[in-house]
Amino acid sequence: MTSYPPLPQSFYEQPTLDLAQSLLGCLLVHETPEGITSGYIVETEAYRGALDRAAHSFNNRRTKRTEIMFHTPGHIYTYTMHRQVLLNVVSAEAEIPEAVLIRALEPKEGIALMETRRPGRKTRELTNGPGKLCQAMGIIQSLYGGHFTNPPLYIAPGYSPEQVETGPRIGIPNAQEAKDFPWRFWVHGNRYVSR
């Protein structure tokens, strides 16, 4: 029995740039033995696979790490960078390796549990970045390959943001022309956006 009804598979079957915006305001939920944490997604980045020098799957690069990106949309793509786990939603149809990075959350429930996982942080700093939100929510690499329609890690309906902003993605200085693509989306004025 889940705490919320997960969004259906059909939600994920929209173009990657649309999905990146549609995810804003949705509720990311993680059910663990220690308890439930959840938060509203307030910032995302789209990665367009073969066309996109910033994507792990640029030029259809197929490795053990990127394999899940070639599956159907809605799968969980986790990877580790600087010892932090980052969470992505696989997007686009099978064999088109695209994904959306979840960059920031506004905490909803389980804040005390988030604080035990990220001790000494102000509430705003619990989930205002892609590695931080995974640490706060107990999202680990082994969730790779799961699906966002099934617990323990899933996405449920939330709210529709009044205003969405867009701009270049963060932290990809070597991606040549791709570093300027306006494929980062965030909820206007939300204090949990990473920057």
Side-chain angles (χ1 to χ4, degrees), residues 15-35:
T16 298
L17 295 177
D18 294 344
L19 180 63
Q21 294 173 77
S22 296
L23 282 163
L24 296 174
C26 291
L27 191 66
L28 180 69
V29 184
H30 191 202
E31 300 176 354
T32 67
E34 304 87 59

Side-chain angles (χ1 to χ4, degrees), residues 93-138:
E93 57 196 82
E95 302 303 321
I96 300 177
E98 300 186 1
V100 177
L101 172 68
I102 298 178
R103 274 200 65 92
L105 297 178
E106 178 180 336
K108 179 176 191 285
E109 64 198 312
I111 292 174
L113 179 53
M114 292 182 187
E115 287 169 343
T116 66
R117 290 169 173 160
R118 285 183 52 73
R121 305 309 204 291
K122 296 178 181 140
T123 306
R124 180 181 175 267
E125 293 171 357
L126 292 174
T127 54
N128 65 337
K132 297 176 187 181
L133 72 88
C134 287
Q135 190 179 12
M137 292 191 66

